[in-house]
Amino acid sequence: MALEALTRHLSYGRLAVASCALAVVCSTAAIAAQHYRTRHAAPRHEHSRALPYPNLELPLQVGGSQYQPLAFANVPGWSDDDQLAAYKAFRTSCKPIAAQHGQAEAKALGGSLRDPCRIAKGLEISDRARAKDFFEQNFVPLRISRLGEDAGFVTGYYEPVLDGSRTRTDVYNVPVYRRPSNLFVRGKTQASVGLPNSGPVYRKIGRRKLVPYYDRAQIEDGAIAGRGLELAWLKSQTDLLFAQIQGSARIKFDDGTTLRINYDAHNGYPYTAVGRILIDRGIIPKDQMSMQKIREWMEHNPDGANELRRQNRAYVFFREVPLSDKDEAVGAQGVPLTAGRSIAVDKALHVYGTPFFITGELPIESELSKTPFHRLMIAQDTGSAIVGPARADLYFGAGADAGKVSGRLRHNMQFVMLVPKGLDPVARGRKLPVPDERPSAKIAKLFPQTDPDKDKPAVKSADLPTATVARSTAKDSAKDPARETAGNAAKGHPAAKDAPPVGTTPVAQAAPVAEPVPLPAARPDIPQVQEKRRYRRTRHHRYR
């Protein structure tokens, strides 16, 4: 028995030793595996996180707009236009586009026009058919408008030709000012050409103090007179006002020479349309408003014209440009404009050089005519009143005839923006993943979405002022015939004798419709923190 007990004790001891040895081997293998994974694991970026969808380029985005991709065959009037004239204007815009270096503009088209410009540079197109093919092969058309609207809006502008003098006389006594030296715009210097046409403008007093610049009334009263800022002298303040509205002018002198002036700076006040003031005051009907009507009214009402001008506190300063009589005015892009093919657009949304195909009816031939207009135009200019994705000012050239046409344009038109094929929103949209399916009607019914405003307790009539309750009752009575009938019955109105009681009239109420449950938010990628593994110390016993 003693021998058997000793044998059994030795067997248990060997088993315990074997178990301890196996535990040590497993622990060593785990430590080695963890060390290997640590040294050979892929590097993990601190700021990287998984997105719910792949990081792909989104379709074209133009602020505050809606657009619809089209085919050129579905663009009304596209085949009837002469695209050769637009092609020449586009090549003119390509010169400053090709000269741009560095980062592209943070706008919808950005620097995408460089590719079509590079192709146009190597082509010598002299016929309409090849010009049409160029635009069809390098652009895609998008019908664009302001969000919620179905059309755009156009006006017209031109370059006035005015009589003037280099010196002040009894006839020519209205000065045309160049930019004053004390006019200050943040981020600009006196050497900057063509300061922004919007934003704050200051006047320096001493070295540090800045105050808003003089407005129109102060300048007309002589705030900056006698400083040698006069470029020329005109006959009337009305001539100067229209030159400032158009942004450029040609001043003809008695000796036969011509001075070309262009926009250089403004005084920092927003532009106020004098035509809108005349319409609001009932002086000129809206359907008869034009620049000619404004000029005629100002000539016949000099005192009223003085007060009307000063309602527009904005004032424009000019600079002399070295152009001949044969050259067209220079737009904000820095290239000569093309009559009938250049437009001014919102520079905050669009890139200079963008082609726009504009269609509709305009009073070109006369004030009452509806001339079909379908023309490819190039964005080469801007203006402080040109705001929106489908808003354009059509340039018609210089002189009185161009002024008559442009002065009567205030019309809704269809806009088709030509986008380089590299930004085709349809092609980009095909690469985007399809969103998750909308929850079924059964799920939406089980989890209805409630309106928090409807859950709020209604305000009692006793808590409202008496006048408010009376006004609400009057409004509801006008909208609810049943309530009006009840009111008449209370007053003994004969028309309410045969009317049924209001309280017993059945009212059909629509059953509440549950709105679809919104899609769940993307699950964030929370990095897993690997805790340091703790190893249990084991005590080895020797059995003797």
Side-chain angles (χ1 to χ4, degrees):
M1 294 296 291
L3 180 61
E4 183 179 355
L6 179 62
T7 304
R8 188 181 301 112
H9 181 74
L10 291 176
S11 299
Y12 289 157
R14 291 191 187 96
L15 182 60
V17 171
S19 300
C20 293
L22 182 61
V24 171
V25 172
C26 293
S27 300
T28 307
I31 294 172
Q34 182 180 3
H35 180 69
Y36 179 83
R37 287 194 301 268
T38 305
R39 295 191 60 182
H40 296 82
R44 184 182 181 89
H45 299 284
E46 296 181 0
H47 302 287
S48 63
R49 72 179 186 90
L51 297 176
Y53 298 108
N55 188 14
L56 300 176
E57 291 182 340
L58 296 175
L60 187 70
Q61 296 179 346
V62 182
S65 72
Q66 60 186 20
Y67 61 82
Q68 175 188 2
L70 300 173
F72 279 102
N74 298 329
V75 178
W78 172 255
S79 300
D80 300 331
D81 188 29
D82 181 12
Q83 287 83 4
L84 180 59
Y87 174 78
K88 294 178 180 179
F90 177 75
R91 286 196 64 177
T92 303
S93 288
C94 284
K95 296 178 181 178
I97 292 175
Q100 292 176 355
H101 298 286
Q103 189 176 3
E105 296 183 73
K107 299 176 185 177
L109 265 61
S112 61
L113 289 174
R114 294 176 185 174
D115 293 337
C117 283
R118 185 167 52 252
I119 297 174
K121 184 178 179 180
L123 298 177
E124 293 296 336
I125 297 179
S126 58
D127 60 279
R128 168 183 167 184
R130 291 188 61 194
K132 179 172 174 287
D133 292 339
F134 167 79
F135 288 107
E136 291 179 353
Q137 293 174 6
N138 295 281
F139 294 89
V140 291
L142 304 177
R143 178 182 286 117
I144 188 171
S145 62
R146 190 188 294 270
L147 191 63
E149 300 179 0
D150 58 353
F153 187 74
V154 301
T155 51
Y157 75 112
Y158 72 110
E159 187 180 18
V161 179
L162 307 172
D163 295 330
S165 172
R166 294 188 184 274
T167 59
R168 181 173 183 173
T169 63
D170 294 337
V171 177
Y172 303 101
N173 53 14
V174 176
V176 180
Y177 288 122
R178 62 168 54 91
R179 187 203 313 173
S181 59
N182 64 342
L183 187 144
F184 177 75
V185 178
R186 296 186 186 275
K188 301 293 183 178
T189 64
Q190 283 295 323
S192 302
V193 178
L195 297 184
N197 60 358
S198 60
V201 177
Y202 304 97
R203 173 168 52 96
K204 279 188 176 182
I205 299 179
R207 291 186 176 182
R208 296 180 179 273
K209 189 175 181 180
L210 297 177
V211 296
Y213 206 80
Y214 301 114
D215 65 358
R216 175 177 294 275
Q218 293 171 316
I219 295 175
E220 289 186 359
D221 291 340
I224 59 175
R227 299 185 184 180
L229 301 174
E230 296 82 3
L231 289 171
W233 299 83
L234 301 178
K235 289 183 178 179
S236 65
Q237 291 286 356
T238 303
D239 288 345
L240 178 62
L241 174 66
F242 278 90
Q244 292 175 336
I245 293 175
Q246 304 304 319
S248 62
R250 305 184 185 192
I251 303 178
K252 290 187 171 296
F253 301 128
D254 294 337
D255 57 2
T257 59
T258 302
L259 174 66
R260 304 290 296 273
I261 58 175
N262 209 3
Y263 169 89
D264 192 32
H266 79 124
N267 63 340
Y269 292 91
Y271 170 75
T272 302
V274 294
R276 170 58 58 186
I277 298 175
L278 292 175
I279 293 175
D280 294 341
R281 293 178 179 178
I283 298 175
I284 299 178
K286 184 177 180 180
D287 56 349
Q288 300 179 11
M289 176 55 64
S290 66
M291 286 189 290
Q292 286 72 29
K293 294 290 185 181
I294 298 175
R295 180 180 285 274
E296 291 175 1
W297 184 87
M298 286 185 169
E299 291 177 353
H300 291 86
N301 301 272
D303 295 336
N306 184 56
E307 183 271 337
L308 179 64
R309 277 195 323 272
R310 298 183 178 215
Q311 295 295 320
N312 175 30
R313 302 181 68 185
Y315 197 92
V316 172
F317 302 99
F318 293 93
R319 58 185 171 90
E320 183 178 354
V321 290
L323 296 175
S324 65
D325 290 343
K326 297 181 181 180
D327 298 327
E328 290 290 346
V330 177
Q333 192 185 12
V335 298
L337 302 176
T338 302
R341 294 293 172 175
S342 297
I343 58 174
V345 296
D346 188 350
K347 67 176 182 179
L349 300 177
H350 298 299
V351 177
Y352 293 136
T354 304
F356 286 85
F357 192 74
I358 301 176
T359 60
E361 295 180 344
L362 293 176
I364 302 295
E365 298 176 357
S366 64
E367 293 184 1
L368 301 178
S369 65
K370 296 183 178 180
T371 306
F373 187 92
H374 36 74
R375 194 172 297 181
L376 184 60
M377 318 282 283
I378 308 300
Q380 296 176 327
D381 205 357
T382 188
S384 58
I386 312 302
V387 179
R391 174 72 172 91
D393 215 5
L394 315 184
Y395 177 70
F396 283 93
D401 294 337
K404 291 179 181 179
V405 176
S406 60
R408 52 180 177 248
L409 298 190
R410 293 181 58 86
H411 293 71
N412 294 325
M413 303 285 281
Q414 295 293 330
F415 280 65
V416 176
M417 181 172 67
L418 270 58
V419 177
K421 283 194 172 181
L423 295 181
D424 186 359
V426 177
R428 287 190 177 188
R430 293 193 185 101
K431 299 179 182 179
L432 294 177
V434 179
D436 297 338
E437 295 184 0
R438 177 176 292 182
S440 63
K442 182 177 180 180
I443 298 297
K445 188 175 182 180
L446 292 175
F447 302 95
Q449 303 298 302
T450 59
D451 188 356
D453 295 335
K454 293 181 180 180
D455 297 338
K456 295 180 180 179
V459 181
K460 298 181 180 180
S461 301
D463 299 335
L464 294 176
T466 306
T468 305
V469 175
R471 286 196 299 268
S472 302
T473 305
K475 291 181 180 179
D476 294 341
S477 300
K479 296 179 181 180
D480 193 349
R483 181 175 296 182
E484 185 177 1
T485 304
N488 293 335
K491 297 176 183 178
H493 199 281
K497 293 180 180 179
D498 301 330
V502 178
T504 60
T505 303
V507 180
Q509 296 183 356
V513 180
E515 298 181 0
V517 179
L519 295 177
R523 178 184 299 175
D525 182 16
I526 303 176
Q528 298 293 334
V529 180
Q530 295 183 356
E531 298 182 357
K532 187 176 181 180
R533 185 173 180 179
R534 298 179 180 180
Y535 301 98
R536 183 178 181 182
R537 294 183 180 181
T538 58
R539 180 177 296 178
H540 303 282
H541 300 276
R542 287 188 180 181
Y543 298 92
R544 295 180 182 178

